[in-house]
Amino acid sequence: MTAKFISFACIRKESGDLSPRPHYPSMPKYPKGVRVSSDEEKFMQGSEAKALFSVLGMTCSACAGSVEKAVKRLPGIKEAAVDVLNNRAQVMFYPAFVNEETIRETIEDVGFEATLINDEANEKLSQVCRIRIKGMTCTSCSSTIESALQALPGVQLARVALATEEAEVHYDSMILTYNQILEAVENTGFEALLIGTGGDRCKIHLQVDGVRTESSMRIIGNSLQALPGVQDINFDPELKKISVSYQPDLTGPRNFIEIIESTGSRRYKAKIFPGGGGRDAHREEEIKKYRRSFLWSLVFTVPVFFLSMIFMYIPGIKHGLDTKIVNMLSIGEILRWILSTPVQFVIGRRFYIGSYKALRHGSPNMDYLEVLAKGKTSEAIAKLMDLTPDTATLLTLDSEGNLLNEEEIDSRLVQKNDVLKIIPGAKVACDGFVIWGQSHVNESMITGESRPVAKRKGDMVIGGTLNTNGVLHIKATKVGSESALAQIVRLVESAQMAKAPVQKFADRISKFFVPLVIILSFSTWLAWFLSGKFNGYPKSWIPSSMDSFQLALQFGISVMVIACPCALGLATPTAVMVGSGIGASQGVLIKGGQALESTHKVNCIVFDKTGTLTVGKPVVVNTKLLKNMVLQEFYELVAAAEVNSEHPLAKAVVEYAKKFKQDEENPVWPEALNFESITGHGVKAVVRNKEVLVGNKSLMVDHQVHISLDAEEILSETEGLAQTGILVSIDKELVGILAISDPLKPGAQNVISILKSMKIRSILVTGDNWGTAKAIANEVGIDTVIAEAKPEHKSEKVKELQASGNVVAMVGDGINDSPALVAADVGMAIGAGTDIAVEAADIVLMKSNLEDVITAIHLSRKTFLRIRLNYLWAFGYNVLGIPIAAGALFPSTRFRLPPWIAGAAMAASSVSVVCSSLLLKNYKRPKVLDALEIRGITVE
């Protein structure tokens, strides 16, 4: 079956609708500066058009956000919704300002392949497969493979990542199979291994003992396929392995084992397939393979070294080695030939095979390998994956919650709704919530926050975190690939697959580099050969052990060997991989190379207020009644109106109102009729036959509610204290004012001060009133304030700043921040914020600390400084190395570079670039952040 492509923060049920989840509010309809009259607007409303595009290459919500961001910046875009699951984008636009081709080109400029869908019925669903590729050394290699894959009929998109040694291929399963894709990769001279097909939500590998025939395998497969939630089953008869893709909401691995063992009169036994078989296992196997080849090479090469470099200077031995025996061939030459042949044509045959296949496809490469060094660049993923414990303690409870049984199981067998016991010092096996017990959990391995977090009944826990004290019983809610840890791993993997824009420069150079080097090599040999033939240099220049032809050949070979596009191709991806991995360990999730590159250019940051600069847990601190009425009755009416709102201020009011019903655990509020949420203003409802308005001053003015001078004074005084004043009217009469305070986050003032020292301008944009906004801004040190801003106003301000030549970052946490997060060059979402804000952002700050804004920018700057140093070294090496190898110094100094030294220098250049990137592993955030005194805030 066609597998569903699932990615971080995009896991949801299939639906016929293009965008089953709510997407971001619309961008402004018309371009900035274009004035449209009411008649013209009516005409425009009737002339709007809709276009549906197939967008290939999207792997996660960051990709979808990039496409939306680019499209919504175009003039005349009414709405744009991107569905990463089905690889589609639906755009509502005004043809007077923009057309389908411009939209398509804009999507392709972002880095994805876009096609206008004219007949949706004819559009085939795309299959996705991921492949591990062994033997790539430079961008020329990855480009060769990409070109070969793109040439296959049915391939819609092929993306090859050099640093991760992986490829992702989107193809039409009606035309092509993944086996044909693997064959195409191997035909280019590289080894290919299938990692997986599709975007299966969860996948488990089981080993089945007792199976003797393929018929038995099919019977087991049919039994498993009948289970609800099973999506796909693959067999490997040789290894007796069954791979099952499934939906964790409906089934799980323990069910599979039970079904297998109950099939065939219980003669089959099933267990988790031993060994990880993951990226590290394959890399270690590859390293061992090359180590063996190296050691065998030494067995033959060391004697050659002694014969050529040492024995030739020992008189007695030299005479014996120089003895001619066959056609003027000496004993020494024959011995060297015999010893060199196995190294060249047995141990080194893979180089010749690869070169032949590469030449056959018209894309020669410079095949050398730095497996061990490159492997270290992806250690961040390996460390994240190692956080999950090997075992878990499963509890069996009766209907009343009494313990019936306790057993230790493999953590991969945990299923949704299982109850697990977490003892002190043990890691949490999966995401879930506490149903019994109290403890503190160290979440630093996930969020980077070192302070243990208190956990009690009802609190959420994250898989991979460490229980420090106390015993907890948790109920599993997200297992396998649904867990937060798996999503973080998937996001980091996706970020490391994505290329930074700066890498396109290296890709363009590498495309022409190898042919150019071959031409230079041949030209060098020809120039020296002709010079020697026609006495262009003295005969004394020629060493006694060779003639002019051999001298020319040596110069040509040295040029061929020393030239290295590998270092150039590794300069960017290795640094991006290490940088994104370090970011993840610091609690800063960077969604790809483009986000990392844009962040180092940021010179202006737009901050939301609630939940970003402030704690985001506002509390009612004062109540002023303007009419005689019972306070409990007043709060019952207010809470009834506000209980249906998701706004943080509304929740604060409802929580405060609960204090007047202390005798009730879950108070029931009066029914609210005709409820209406007015974005940016407040709410309106009918409660007990009374019209209740709860909101800001603008809401009251719009509904003709008179605001007295006393009320104005109370509001002014409230706002002067950096508190938010909420007005309440009943039947068009103002009856009360609530003062709500949302304390600043610890260190907010210092963060703004540090940003100023980094020459980054800070701006506050909030939907709150002017008085509160200015008071908050003054407290933290922000000069520019925009208050009472609706969601579209925030994105408009971002666009205005961009039009002024600024590179803008937006920091927010709410749904109303999503348009601005998409519009900004870099969207930073506070990790504790809403899912849609996290999905829209380019960077997620897991700890919800403002200091991490500085960490993200500082890390980006350090990463791109490292990339520049890598490029400087890669270019400098080739600019200096090629002329020296060609003999530029030979006429004046008689210095020449033997091919074996040139080869060593070439390998060293690639390793040095990778090691340069690995130095980022020593990254430390700015010391000024360590000096900040960060204190926790408790809100009762």
Side-chain angles (χ1 to χ4, degrees):
M1 64 168 62
T2 303
K4 297 175 184 174
F5 190 81
I6 308 296
S7 63
F8 175 66
C10 295
I11 299 175
R12 56 181 187 262
K13 294 182 180 178
E14 290 290 319
S15 170
D17 186 11
L18 178 65
S19 50
R21 287 182 66 182
H23 41 265
Y24 320 126
S26 302
M27 294 292 103
K29 298 178 182 178
Y30 311 113
K32 184 186 173 186
V34 176
R35 295 187 177 182
V36 182
S37 66
S38 58
D39 291 338
E40 289 174 323
E41 183 165 355
K42 288 179 182 177
F43 170 76
M44 296 297 293
Q45 294 286 349
S47 64
E48 63 187 49
K50 180 174 76 171
L52 186 64
F53 297 88
S54 169
V55 184
L56 301 178
M58 297 188 297
T59 59
C60 64
S61 56
C63 302
S66 299
V67 174
E68 279 198 27
K69 185 185 298 185
V71 172
K72 285 181 175 180
R73 286 176 181 167
L74 291 172
I77 299 296
K78 181 182 179 183
E79 180 60 280
V82 179
D83 182 5
V84 73
L85 295 182
N86 295 312
N87 298 314
R88 294 184 179 182
Q90 181 174 287
V91 184
M92 300 289 292
F93 65 98
Y94 297 100
F97 296 111
V98 70
N99 56 34
E100 292 99 333
E101 182 59 21
T102 302
I103 298 171
R104 190 192 67 79
E105 289 176 354
T106 300
I107 295 173
E108 294 207 332
D109 286 342
V110 180
F112 304 98
E113 183 179 337
T115 307
L116 180 66
I117 300 175
N118 295 315
D119 186 359
E120 190 172 335
N122 293 330
E123 183 69 15
K124 294 182 174 66
L125 292 175
S126 174
Q127 182 87 346
V128 183
C129 73
R130 291 175 62 232
I131 302 168
R132 180 168 290 108
I133 301 174
K134 299 180 181 180
M136 293 191 298
T137 60
C138 62
T139 51
S140 177
C141 303
S142 57
S143 299
T144 300
I145 298 171
E146 278 188 4
S147 300
L149 291 173
Q150 290 284 14
L152 290 174
V155 170
Q156 298 155 343
L157 176 77
R159 187 169 65 173
V160 180
L162 171 65
T164 58
E165 297 180 335
E166 290 182 7
E168 185 177 272
V169 185
H170 296 241
Y171 64 100
D172 189 339
S173 57
M174 300 295 291
I175 301 174
L176 198 64
T177 66
Y178 65 78
N179 284 323
Q180 291 173 305
I181 295 173
L182 294 175
E183 185 180 348
V185 174
E186 292 185 345
N187 285 338
T188 59
F190 302 91
E191 294 181 56
L193 180 68
L194 183 69
I195 299 174
T197 57
D200 301 312
R201 293 177 69 173
C202 277
K203 194 167 190 175
I204 192 76
H205 304 285
L206 301 173
Q207 180 176 304
V208 184
D209 295 326
V211 177
R212 295 182 176 84
T213 64
E214 291 190 15
S215 175
S216 300
M217 274 286 195
R218 284 196 295 271
I219 292 172
I220 292 173
N222 292 335
S223 300
L224 291 173
Q225 195 72 58
L227 286 174
V230 172
Q231 296 176 321
D232 193 21
I233 299 174
N234 292 313
F235 304 101
D236 188 335
E238 291 184 9
L239 298 176
K240 297 181 180 180
K241 183 172 78 170
I242 293 181
S243 301
V244 186
S245 302
Y246 63 97
Q247 295 179 359
D249 288 341
L250 302 176
T251 189
R254 293 206 307 281
N255 295 343
F256 305 149
I257 292 175
E258 183 180 347
I259 289 293
I260 292 171
E261 294 187 346
S262 63
T263 302
S265 303
R266 296 194 174 274
R267 68 173 180 269
Y268 306 127
K269 294 294 179 182
K271 61 181 180 181
I272 297 290
F273 193 81
R279 173 183 303 176
D280 287 342
H282 289 287
R283 197 178 296 280
E284 286 172 11
E285 180 187 342
E286 191 174 9
I287 292 170
K288 288 178 182 177
K289 174 181 158 187
Y290 281 98
R291 186 181 290 117
R292 286 195 300 269
S293 297
F294 171 71
L295 292 175
W296 275 110
S297 298
L298 282 181
V299 170
F300 295 98
T301 306
V302 170
V304 172
F305 173 79
F306 278 95
L307 286 169
S308 304
M309 301 294 188
I310 296 176
F311 294 161
M312 296 303 291
Y313 297 98
I314 301 175
I317 299 177
K318 181 181 186 304
H319 177 73
L321 293 174
D322 287 342
T323 303
K324 309 291 184 180
I325 55 171
V326 181
N327 294 331
M328 302 302 291
L329 288 175
S330 66
I331 293 176
E333 289 170 336
I334 291 174
L335 287 174
R336 290 195 293 270
W337 172 69
I338 291 172
L339 291 168
S340 300
T341 299
V343 177
Q344 284 291 319
F345 300 108
V346 179
I347 299 171
R349 67 184 181 276
R350 61 175 295 275
F351 297 102
Y352 293 103
I353 294 170
S355 299
Y356 165 72
K357 291 180 178 179
L359 285 168
R360 193 178 67 183
H361 285 81
S363 182
N365 57 63
M366 307 291 284
D367 211 351
Y368 283 91
L369 190 65
E370 303 82 28
V371 182
L372 185 61
K374 286 196 293 184
K376 292 186 179 294
T377 60
S378 57
E379 279 185 354
I381 292 179
K383 288 179 180 178
L384 284 171
M385 296 175 74
D386 288 341
L387 290 178
T388 306
D390 295 329
T391 60
T393 304
L394 177 67
L395 302 181
T396 304
L397 308 177
D398 61 17
S399 57
E400 297 180 357
N402 298 316
L403 180 64
L404 297 178
N405 187 39
E406 179 179 320
E407 63 175 318
E408 191 173 85
I409 62 171
D410 191 305
S411 62
R412 290 171 291 183
L413 294 176
V414 173
Q415 299 181 184
K416 192 171 182 180
N417 296 323
D418 281 348
V419 176
L420 305 176
K421 178 182 178 181
I422 315 296
I423 62 175
K427 288 182 179 178
V428 181
C430 63
D431 293 2
F433 63 91
V434 179
I435 61 173
W436 180 87
Q438 293 187 22
S439 184
H440 285 79
V441 175
N442 185 348
E443 298 182 344
S444 61
M445 55 283 294
I446 302 293
T447 65
E449 179 61 67
S450 59
R451 187 171 61 247
V453 181
K455 300 292 180 182
R456 56 180 61 86
K457 185 177 180 180
D459 289 340
M460 300 300 297
V461 291
I462 306 171
T465 56
L466 184 67
N467 183 26
T468 58
N469 56 7
V471 178
L472 296 175
H473 291 179
I474 69 164
K475 189 170 187 178
T477 56
K478 293 182 179 179
V479 298
S481 60
E482 280 193 322
S483 68
L485 179 60
Q487 290 175 355
I488 291 171
V489 169
R490 194 155 56 243
L491 188 148
V492 176
E493 284 183 324
S494 176
Q496 294 184 344
M497 276 284 288
K499 293 181 179 179
V502 71
Q503 192 175 340
K504 293 178 182 178
F505 173 64
D507 291 346
R508 284 195 296 267
I509 292 177
S510 295
K511 185 177 180 181
F512 303 103
F513 189 92
V514 175
L516 179 62
V517 166
I518 292 173
I519 294 171
L520 285 174
S521 177
F522 178 78
S523 301
T524 300
W525 169 80
L526 186 63
W528 279 102
F529 175 71
L530 292 177
S531 297
K533 193 76 173 175
F534 298 103
N535 300 316
Y537 57 83
K539 297 293 184 182
S540 59
W541 286 12
I542 304 174
S544 59
S545 60
M546 60 180 67
D547 56 24
S548 61
F549 175 84
Q550 291 175 315
L551 180 65
L553 185 62
Q554 190 176 86
F555 283 128
I557 292 173
S558 294
V559 169
M560 175 76 75
V561 172
I562 201 169
C564 184
C566 308
L568 200 61
L570 293 170
T572 297
T574 53
V576 169
M577 284 183 71
V578 177
S580 57
I582 293 300
S585 67
Q586 299 265 350
V588 178
L589 296 183
I590 303 170
K591 298 181 181 179
Q594 184 166 353
L596 194 63
E597 181 169 345
S598 299
T599 305
H600 91 283
K601 302 175 184 175
V602 167
N603 59 9
C604 180
I605 298 183
V606 177
F607 287 96
D608 175 48
K609 181 180 76 71
T610 306
T612 302
L613 287 176
T614 62
V615 174
K617 292 183 179 178
V619 291
V620 177
V621 294
N622 199 1
T623 307
K624 295 285 187 180
L625 291 181
L626 305 175
K627 180 184 177 182
N628 289 328
M629 65 183 301
V630 179
L631 195 60
Q632 180 174 349
E633 181 186 353
F634 170 80
Y635 268 105
E636 279 189 351
L637 295 175
V638 174
E642 290 278 46
V643 75
N644 295 309
S645 174
E646 290 296 318
H647 197 282
L649 297 182
K651 292 181 178 180
V653 172
V654 173
E655 283 298 315
Y656 188 79
K658 288 180 180 179
K659 294 184 177 181
F660 296 94
K661 291 195 172 187
Q662 293 180 352
D663 55 330
E664 300 179 33
E665 186 175 345
N666 294 307
V668 177
W669 308 108
E671 184 180 5
L673 304 174
N674 303 326
F675 174 80
E676 182 182 355
S677 178
I678 304 165
T679 304
H681 294 284
V683 298
K684 175 183 177 183
V686 176
V687 183
R688 292 176 178 168
N689 295 322
K690 298 176 181 178
E691 184 186 75
V692 180
L693 292 173
V694 184
N696 57 20
K697 188 176 178 180
S698 300
L699 180 68
M700 301 300 152
V701 172
D702 291 344
H703 287 79
Q704 291 81 47
V705 176
H706 175 67
I707 302 175
S708 65
L709 289 176
D710 289 342
E712 293 277 10
E713 288 180 5
I714 293 171
L715 271 180
S716 178
E717 183 181 332
T718 299
E719 292 168 1
L721 296 172
Q723 299 170 352
T724 302
I726 302 294
L727 304 176
V728 179
S729 79
I730 300 176
D731 290 333
K732 305 291 184 182
E733 182 182 2
L734 190 65
V735 296
I737 299 175
L738 311 180
I740 297 181
S741 175
D742 185 8
L744 280 175
K745 282 187 174 177
Q749 185 176 2
N750 292 323
V751 167
I752 301 301
S753 175
I754 295 169
L755 288 172
K756 282 184 179 178
S757 68
M758 296 171 69
K759 298 183 179 178
I760 297 175
R761 178 186 175 197
S762 298
I763 296 174
L764 175 62
V765 179
T766 178
D768 211 336
N769 61 74
W770 279 99
T772 303
K774 287 181 178 177
I776 290 289
N778 289 336
E779 193 170 347
V780 297
I782 293 178
D783 300 323
T784 307
V785 181
I786 298 168
E788 299 179 8
K790 293 183 178 180
E792 59 268 26
H793 295 156
K794 293 183 180 182
S795 60
E796 272 298 295
K797 181 59 183 176
V798 168
K799 291 183 177 180
E800 287 177 14
L801 291 166
Q802 289 169 330
S804 302
N806 294 293
V807 178
V808 183
M810 170 70 193
V811 184
D813 73 319
I815 292 176
N816 60 335
D817 298 323
S818 298
L821 289 170
V822 172
D825 296 285
V826 180
M828 297 186 186
I830 298 294
T834 61
D835 286 344
I836 199 165
V838 170
E839 187 175 329
D842 302 302
I843 295 176
V844 181
L845 310 179
M846 293 286 289
K847 293 183 286 186
S848 299
N849 286 344
L850 279 178
E851 306 95 87
D852 287 339
V853 173
I854 297 170
T855 302
I857 296 173
H858 187 257
L859 175 60
S860 175
R861 290 180 176 180
K862 289 291 185 183
T863 302
F864 270 80
L865 175 62
R866 186 62 53 184
I867 288 174
R868 291 190 185 102
L869 289 174
N870 288 349
Y871 275 131
L872 183 64
W873 167 247
F875 278 116
Y877 165 83
N878 285 292
V879 168
L880 293 174
I882 291 176
I884 292 173
L889 300 178
F890 189 70
S892 58
T893 65
R894 302 295 183 273
F895 176 80
R896 57 189 173 88
L897 205 63
W900 67 274
I901 294 180
M906 191 282 283
S909 71
S910 298
V911 174
S912 63
V913 165
V914 176
C915 291
S916 172
S917 295
L918 288 173
L919 289 176
L920 279 171
K921 292 167 71 71
N922 300 321
Y923 169 81
K924 302 291 183 184
R925 67 178 193 163
K927 290 183 179 179
V928 67
L929 295 182
D930 298 329
L932 292 181
E933 185 180 0
I934 307 300
R935 299 180 300 274
I937 290 184
T938 302
V939 180
E940 295 182 358

